[in-house]
Amino acid sequence: MARSKRKVFAILLAIFIAVPLLVPENAMIPVVGARRSDWNQDSFWYSPWGASGVHKGIDIFAPAAQAVIAPVSGFVIYRGEMGIGGNVVLLMGPKWRIHYFAHLKRSNVRAFGFYKKGTELGEVGTTGNAFGKPPHLHYSVVSIVPLPWRVTKQAQGWKRMFFLDPGKIVAP
């Protein structure tokens, strides 16, 4: 009896892990009205970059208080303050990827809420280490499933197995 329960549990766990990997991402640019020209295409993994050493995302420049929207549907796993990021929101989306939004002026979501693609998450701001700089959204995408073939010999290259270039993920 116990053996069959373990087998059922293992199957359910495998389904739970596999299904999000199969859901298409189809991400959109997370700032209303933004275009690809609103960020430097070469800024992802740029080094040297301040306290973090390497820029692990893109900075989408926009007017202060411009709406930041969910690029994919997902669950907010964190909303609050986070050091150099200032006001941040972390959204768990398809493929076990965390979409990280930093320097927000404000956020209007709650932790553990589900938000559909295109839903407003907050506003572009200058919190954290963006204080005194032009308003922008720092946007990163992190895979919790390691992608070891992405490792390079660049600075912090081993971390590339987790960080994806958001500029290549969002639809044109």
Side-chain angles (χ1 to χ4, degrees):
M1 183 69 133
R3 178 180 247 160
S4 68
K5 284 184 181 180
R6 281 195 300 264
K7 187 174 183 178
V8 168
F9 176 76
I11 291 169
L12 291 174
L13 181 62
I15 291 169
F16 174 78
I17 291 170
V19 168
L21 291 170
L22 302 174
V23 175
E25 202 163 35
N26 301 324
M28 61 194 292
I29 297 173
V31 176
V32 170
R35 300 179 317 273
R36 290 187 175 277
S37 59
D38 293 321
W39 70 85
N40 182 331
Q41 302 296 313
D42 298 324
S43 65
F44 176 73
W45 220 263
Y46 184 83
S47 173
W49 193 274
S52 64
V54 174
H55 196 233
K56 298 172 186 80
I58 58 174
D59 293 337
I60 303 171
F61 292 88
Q66 185 75 7
V68 172
I69 57 174
V72 296
S73 295
F75 289 92
V76 169
I77 58 173
Y78 180 79
R79 171 195 177 242
E81 285 280 322
M82 192 178 276
I84 63 175
N87 294 330
V88 303
V89 169
L90 279 71
L91 179 82
M92 176 64 77
K95 304 194 180 311
W96 293 106
R97 292 180 178 169
I98 298 170
H99 296 256
Y100 170 79
F101 312 92
H103 310 313
L104 299 173
K105 178 178 181 178
R106 69 171 187 84
S107 61
N108 57 340
V109 294
R110 58 184 169 73
F112 309 112
F114 179 80
Y115 296 91
K116 293 174 95 174
K117 178 178 175 178
T119 302
E120 185 174 324
L121 302 175
E123 297 176 348
V124 171
T126 57
T127 60
N129 70 351
F131 182 76
K133 298 175 184 168
H136 65 278
L137 171 72
H138 175 85
Y139 176 48
S140 293
V141 180
V142 180
S143 174
I144 64 171
V145 175
L147 307 169
W149 56 88
R150 296 184 38 79
V151 172
T152 69
K153 293 183 181 193
Q154 295 172 285
Q156 299 182 30
W158 69 272
K159 292 181 181 178
R160 287 198 72 149
M161 75 172 95
F162 298 105
F163 288 90
L164 303 165
D165 184 348
K168 292 183 179 171
I169 291 174
V170 296

